[in-house]
Amino acid sequence: MRSSLIRRTAVAASAVSLALLVSACGGDKAADGGKGGGDKGAAAAPAKVLTAAELEQAMLTQGDVPGHKISPARAGDVGKPGDVTVDKQECLPLAHAASSIALGKPAADATRKVLEEAKKPSPGKSLADMTDKEMEEALTSAFAVTVTVDKLAAYEGKGAEEAVASLRTAGAACAGGFTVTQDGEQTKVLKVEEAKVSGGDESGAWVITTAGEEGKTLPFKVAAVRQGTTVATFMAMNIGASMGGTDFPLPTAVIDAQVAKVAKAS
């Protein structure tokens, strides 16, 4: 829901994807959706709350997820709680998650941006020989990379459970849509649908479909996985998929890799 993130994603995707497109086309001319796999039967020791330094160490780094570029999140990639308002207060947790804002009141949090690397297209026609339709399809394909904002937040007491519960409540209450205002810009959410994700002690995911330009829609995918007292949230978008009117999968490779690192640190 952050227009600055959308713009920067387009720039980042185009810088890599269009270079690959020109190279390929130029030729000789140029889960379970609910509970994770935690052991509920064993008596649990007091859960460890990761410090800010430990969260940073548990974050994904370059090389952890093949085919993805991982970098520190910039200021424009993450919203500020006071800058986000909704017309239905019960929907605020979803709006926060879609803007990569930590849910509730964490003791510490950390954030990374994960950009899927564009796949090099098969050699074909040169750009000069393409029809307008072929050019549009090629450009759509070039932008079809998923960008994910990955956030870890550590909580005292029952804060982690409450954070995930707030998303579940919002997902059910706001299925019919709501309106978000951020940085002075309004975004109309048309619908919220539950998706499937697994891992950790509990997990959940939602597809947030927003109204885009020229009658098109722009979906955001939000997932949350709790591992002990740490909640990993993920906001994913794919501009190329939206341009082409197609769906895109949750970034499960990113989610699984991040949750695995949190489990080792907990």
Side-chain angles (χ1 to χ4, degrees):
M1 292 183 191
R2 294 194 57 76
S3 58
S4 58
L5 175 58
I6 294 172
R7 287 191 293 268
R8 278 226 293 269
T9 298
V11 171
S14 63
V16 177
S17 304
L18 294 185
L20 290 173
L21 176 65
V22 171
S23 175
C25 296
D28 295 333
K29 298 181 181 180
D32 59 14
K35 302 299 181 181
D39 184 357
K40 310 299 182 185
K48 177 182 179 180
V49 179
L50 298 182
T51 65
E54 289 172 328
L55 282 181
E56 287 291 340
Q57 291 181 344
M59 292 265 17
L60 292 176
T61 58
Q62 185 62 34
D64 284 340
V65 188
H68 293 74
K69 179 181 179 181
I70 300 170
S71 60
R74 299 181 182 179
D77 299 331
V78 182
K80 297 179 181 179
D83 293 340
V84 178
T85 59
V86 291
D87 63 339
K88 300 177 182 178
Q89 194 61 26
E90 61 270 28
C91 304
L92 190 59
L94 277 174
H96 277 181
S99 294
S100 304
I101 298 170
L103 302 168
K105 297 181 179 180
D109 64 81
T111 315
R112 294 292 184 273
K113 183 176 178 179
V114 185
L115 178 65
E116 179 185 15
E117 294 177 355
K119 298 178 178 62
K120 186 174 182 178
S122 301
K125 291 184 178 179
S126 69
L127 295 177
D129 294 334
M130 286 184 179
T131 64
D132 289 345
K133 183 177 181 180
E134 289 172 334
M135 178 71 76
E136 181 179 353
E137 291 175 348
L139 290 174
T140 297
S141 177
F143 281 97
V145 294
T146 297
V147 60
T148 305
V149 181
D150 169 18
K151 178 176 286 291
L152 295 183
Y155 297 83
E156 301 282 354
K158 296 292 185 180
E161 290 95 325
E162 292 169 354
V164 177
S166 72
L167 276 178
R168 292 192 188 285
T169 299
C174 305
F178 59 99
T179 300
V180 182
T181 301
Q182 183 172 6
D183 300 331
E185 297 183 12
Q186 278 195 347
T187 300
K188 178 65 178 178
V189 174
L190 303 176
K191 61 181 178 179
V192 177
E193 300 172 286
E194 190 171 2
K196 292 184 178 181
V197 70
S198 61
D201 296 320
E202 60 176 329
S203 54
W206 298 266
V207 181
I208 302 173
T209 302
T210 66
E213 298 180 355
E214 300 179 353
K216 295 186 177 181
T217 58
L218 178 63
F220 293 80
K221 298 198 174 183
V222 169
V225 181
R226 180 178 67 83
Q227 182 70 48
T229 59
T230 300
V231 176
T233 55
F234 308 86
M235 187 288 294
M237 58 180 289
N238 186 308
I239 294 175
S242 300
M243 290 169 58
T246 60
D247 192 18
F248 66 97
L250 274 170
T252 52
V254 175
I255 294 171
D256 292 345
Q258 181 59 88
V259 173
K261 290 195 74 170
V262 173
K264 290 181 179 180
S266 299

